[in-house]
Structure formats: C-alpha cells, structure tokens
Amino acid sequence: MEEIVSLCKRRGFIFPGSEVYGGLAGTWDYGPLGLMLKRKVEESFWRTFVESRTDMYGVDAAILMNPKVWVASGHVATFADPLIEDKENQKRYRLDHLLEDAGVDVKGMTLEQMRALITEKKIKSPDGNELGEARLFNMMFTTHVGPVADDSSIAYLRPETAQGIFTNYKNIVDTLYPDLPFGIAQVGKAFRNEISPRDFVFRSREFNQMEIEYFCDPKDWEKLFEEWVAGFHSWLESLGLPKDKTHDLEVPDEDRAHYSKRTIDIEFDYPVGRKELMGIAYRTDFDLMNIQKASGKNMEYTMKGTNEKLIPHVIEPSIGTERLIMAIMCSAYVEEGEGEKRRAVLKLPEELAPYRFCVSPLLKNKPELVSRAREVFAELKAKYGNVVWDDNGNIGKRYAKQDEIGTPKCVVIDFETLEDGTITVRNRDDASQVRVKVAEL
Ligand code: ATP
C-alpha cells in the first residue's frame, strides 16, 4: 500500500488535498496522470452501462438539493456512524473501527452493544486514554443557501448521488417515455463527514460515485439483480481486477437497510484487507414511495399496452471511483526481476493507461534524431491524443518511469530510423522490443 501511495504522489496521480497548507484530512487532489486515469475509469463505466445499452439514461443533477430530499430519504434521521471520544484529548474515533482493530466482528451490533464491549475488553483510545460515551454522528455536511445563515437556509452537500436520480425519475418518464425496465445513471461528487478518513482514498470526505437506479416491475427483480451482479463482475474484470480478489458478501438481514430485501457488497482484497468496493442493493419502492408521500406528486409508471399503473422497484449498483481506482492500481502494480533488471510496473489495461505511447529520441543531443522523433510524436499525438514526449535522462530511466506510470508502448527513434525508417517499440509488460516501420505504428 505504501508503495502505491508513494507512486501516486511521486508520479502525479494523487496528491493530499491542500498539501501546501498542511492538508485537509479526507481530501485528495488528482494530478495530471490521476485525472486521466479517473476520466478513463468513469468513461468506461458510462460506455459499458449507459452508451452500449438501450435501456439506460444519464443525468447530472445539482449537488445542492432541497433539504426535504434528505428528510424523505431518511438521511437526516439515520445517516450516522457511531462516534466515541478520547476522554483526555477529545479526539474522536469510529467506535466500530476501534473494535474491528481489536479483532471484534461488529456486524449487526447496536451502539449500546459496541459501547459495552469497549468496557468489557478494556479498549483504550489509540493514544492510550480512557474512552467516553458513544453517540451517533450524522455524516452530512451542512451549508447555507443564500445570504442568511439560519435554520431555514440549511442545505446539505449530497452524501450520495442516488437522490439526484430519484428526484429526476419523473422528469425522465415524462420526457423520454422509457419502457420498463429502464435505468438512470449518474457520476458525480458525494460528500461524507467521515469521523476518521483512512486508508488513502478509500475513506475520503469528498469522493466520486458512479451510481445506477434500475427501475423494474417487482416481479422481475430477482433475475435482474443477478444480471447486475454479473455485469459488474465482468466489468471489474475487464479493468484488471483479478477474479479471485473480488468477493460477493451477501449482506445479512441485521446489517441491511430495513427497506432493502437483498444487498450484495462486492469486496476487494486491498493490501489493507478485504473491504467494500461497491454495493448492489434491491431497494424495493422505498425511495419513490417516500418521494410520493413527501412531495404529493404521483410517482406511478403506466405500463405501455395495458395501462396498468405501478410504482417501479429499484436495483441500485453503486461504486466509488476512488475505491475502484485504488483496486485498479493495486491489481496493476507489480515489482519484478532481480538486481539491475528489477523494476516496478503498472500493468494497467491499455484502455486505462494515462498515456498510450511515449516517444523519445535515443539521444537528446542529436538534432537529426530529435527532429525525426518530433515528427513521429506529432503524428501519434494527432491520432491518439494521449501520447507523451520524454527526452529526460537516459533511455533506461525513461523506460523505468514509463513502466511505473503504466505506458504500454515506448517508441524510440535512433540512427537506424534515419537509415531504414524503422523505430524501436518497447512493450511495457515484458520489456520486449520490436522494430517496425513508422507507418506500421
Ligand atoms: P462503508 O461501509 O465502507 O462506509 P457504505 O456502505 O457506507 O461504505 P455506500 O453508502 O453503499 O457505502 O456507498 C456506495 C459506494 O460509495 C461504496 O461502495 C464506496 O465505493 C463508495 N464510498 C462510500 N463512502 C466512501 C468514502 N468515504 N470514500 C470513498 N468512497 C466511498
């Protein structure tokens, strides 16, 4: 994990947020390479689950929403984590995390049961002090809309993108008349005031979600649920996550939200342990019913042909971009070879690699090589866009750098190029080299 965090920073993938001012816990900034990777991951999601299907629609809702949304969804009342305070220095911790760190399986436990265990097992704070009372802490960030900061102007930064989908369900039904089943997808920011952000970007306070609400006739949910689980597994595999590192956790009754009849968490074996990468939940008609009650607007769908009316049920796949990027980086990163040949390589799928080609002249101080290399670079850049120029250091150093950032092919222009028009193409994954004509690239 440390190697990956260090690579992310050293090579311009992910930096700690506001680092120049000492940082802000739980926030991260994407550097140039990380941003390219993030865009490619989110584009892949969109291509796979929206563009390549005929039953999917996209939305991009506002982050700030009417606070009634979060009352109706239950977030104001219940979107909370258990918090416990160090009695001496008032530092705050996630109660369940302290117990998990002590080897306790907290699944299904109430706040009181967890607090009792802290006493029973004599668990102290990480600073070795007594722990105080436990309470639930609501994770929504609040702000005020407009110039007056009072209770009537409170708004929340959305803790999930899903509600922006539900609130637009009716708009999409009325404007696009989709056949049931159909789905709405959204990719965007979500904010959670996590008590203790940790494990790099895994638990951040500001992160991106890729979410789908798939609306269906309740009689079909079981089959569709299985299809979504299978669909996500094959997508994750296509992004390089090994099959044996992803696991379906059938969330037990006591841990599931009361309205969900079935939830599967797809977990990934991160270097920091097996943890939730994403969730797929059958949410029944809970959300649309709540909106109907709270807004007084009819959320029924009229079946084409029969005119039968029903409130669709929903299957919700939800995945965080950062948790996925972390899983992709962990899957792609390998250290191989011995002695001088030892190297660190990011074996990203070609479609995700920030740069597709790196172009360089063998020697930087030979104008004839540089000018030919510049021509090849310009041609590739015009064709592919994500092509990088590198003439720093010696060729070995360049290869090492491109291996670390996952560039699949390095193209080198040397003296032979000037004679016969061939160039060296070096392959990232096995360090093999071939000579091809420029036109064959
Ligand atoms: P956890 O139990 O790990 O806090 P959760 O069950 O609360 O996660 P959901 O509410 O199901 O998470 O959110 C859907 C997805 O959003 C998660 O599976 C994860 O990929 C992502 N996600 C949730 N919280 C965070 C966070 N703090 N930082 C990064 N990604 C997150």
Side-chain angles (χ1 to χ4, degrees), residues 120-186:
E120 193 185 311
K121 295 190 168 284
K122 299 192 172 60
I123 294 173
K124 298 274 191 309
S125 81
D127 292 328
N129 301 323
E130 286 295 318
L131 290 160
E133 284 312 301
R135 67 181 169 88
L136 289 172
F137 170 77
N138 193 298
M139 289 195 291
M140 282 198 293
F141 280 100
T142 54
T143 185
H144 292 274
V145 170
V148 183
D150 63 16
D151 282 355
S152 68
S153 65
I154 278 188
Y156 301 97
L157 298 189
R158 67 182 181 199
E160 60 173 34
T161 66
Q163 293 304 321
I165 298 181
F166 287 120
T167 48
N168 279 294
Y169 150 85
K170 192 73 182 147
N171 287 335
I172 288 176
V173 169
D174 291 346
T175 51
L176 293 145
Y177 317 111
D179 289 327
L180 203 67
F182 70 93
I184 308 177
Q186 176 164 229

Side-chain angles (χ1 to χ4, degrees), residues 192 194 201-204 207 209 276-279 318-320 323:
R192 295 184 187 181
E194 296 280 355
V201 295
F202 182 88
R203 191 169 297 287
S204 311
F207 53 98
Q209 285 186 317
E276 175 181 329
L277 163 62
M278 66 170 295
S318 170
I319 182 161
R323 288 194 189 179

Side-chain angles (χ1 to χ4, degrees), residues 66-78 140 156 163 167 258-259 283 286-295:
N66 188 312
K68 287 179 187 165
V69 167
W70 307 109
V71 176
S73 67
H75 282 80
V76 170
T78 61
M140 282 198 293
Y156 301 97
Q163 293 304 321
T167 48
H258 63 92
Y259 49 81
R283 297 175 65 99
F286 175 78
D287 301 271
L288 290 184
M289 280 301 227
N290 279 343
I291 294 179
Q292 181 163 284
K293 268 185 233 139
S295 69

Side-chain angles (χ1 to χ4, degrees), residues 86-100:
D86 180 315
K87 274 186 170 172
E88 298 292 315
N89 58 23
Q90 280 74 49
K91 282 192 196 162
R92 292 167 169 193
Y93 301 97
R94 273 271 295 261
L95 172 55
D96 51 340
H97 285 172
L98 288 185
L99 285 167
E100 276 168 4

